[in-house]
Amino acid sequence: MQRRILLFTIPVLIASLTALSLCSALDASASNARSITSLVALTLYGVAFVAGLAAVPNILCAELFPPALRSAGLSVSLLTQWLANIAVSQTFPVMHAGIGLTATFAIFAGACALCFFFVLAFVPETSRRPLETPAQPHVQPVAASRPL
């Protein structure tokens, strides 16, 4: 189910960022239509992000890792998410000042497109699978009694 959620919400993110990019490229004389379109695109982006990329990776990681590796896997996943959030929040103002809103939103739309193809190619479906069973059969838990 989580894979399907991502495959539904990521295209909404791409469309919203593309709309924001196009709106920022429009002439300021079309300000009313530009403002309404930007507001709708930003709202759709927020809803799709919260429903997809903000929540699903945490749930998905809990389902992907076997119980013995779940806490370590979730720790690495959360660290990666926080680092990505820091990267976005630190680069957005710099990109906006350097290349403008149009290119900035276009680059982030491209990043979402790459994310979509990553999910399509590598993220397994985990619905109707018990939490005790890892979603990837090639992932084996480390034996607790094995000496280092």
Side-chain angles (χ1 to χ4, degrees):
M1 181 69 155
Q2 283 70 25
R3 182 176 192 266
R4 284 183 282 183
I5 291 171
L6 289 174
L7 291 175
F8 175 76
T9 57
I10 294 172
V12 176
L13 297 177
I14 296 167
S16 299
L17 288 168
T18 302
L20 287 167
S21 179
L22 293 173
C23 284
S24 65
L26 289 176
D27 187 17
S29 64
S31 62
N32 194 25
R34 178 181 164 182
S35 298
I36 291 170
T37 305
S38 295
L39 179 64
V40 169
L42 194 57
T43 303
L44 284 174
Y45 181 88
V47 169
F49 184 78
V50 167
L53 286 178
V56 171
N58 297 321
I59 298 166
L60 191 61
C61 284
E63 295 174 345
L64 287 176
F65 293 105
L69 299 175
R70 191 165 292 146
S71 61
L74 283 169
S75 298
V76 171
S77 171
L78 286 172
L79 175 66
T80 305
Q81 282 182 327
W82 277 98
L83 291 174
N85 288 335
I86 290 169
V88 168
S89 65
Q90 294 300 311
T91 58
F92 185 86
V94 174
M95 290 171 67
H96 174 245
I99 60 176
L101 274 178
T102 302
T104 301
F105 285 134
I107 289 170
F108 283 121
C112 285
L114 291 175
C115 181
F116 177 80
F117 289 116
F118 178 84
V119 170
L120 197 61
F122 297 110
V123 175
E125 183 57 65
T126 58
S127 64
R128 298 184 183 160
R129 212 180 276 255
L131 280 176
E132 294 77 27
T133 307
Q136 298 171 334
H138 64 278
V139 175
Q140 298 295 325
V142 177
S145 63
R146 193 169 92 186
L148 297 175

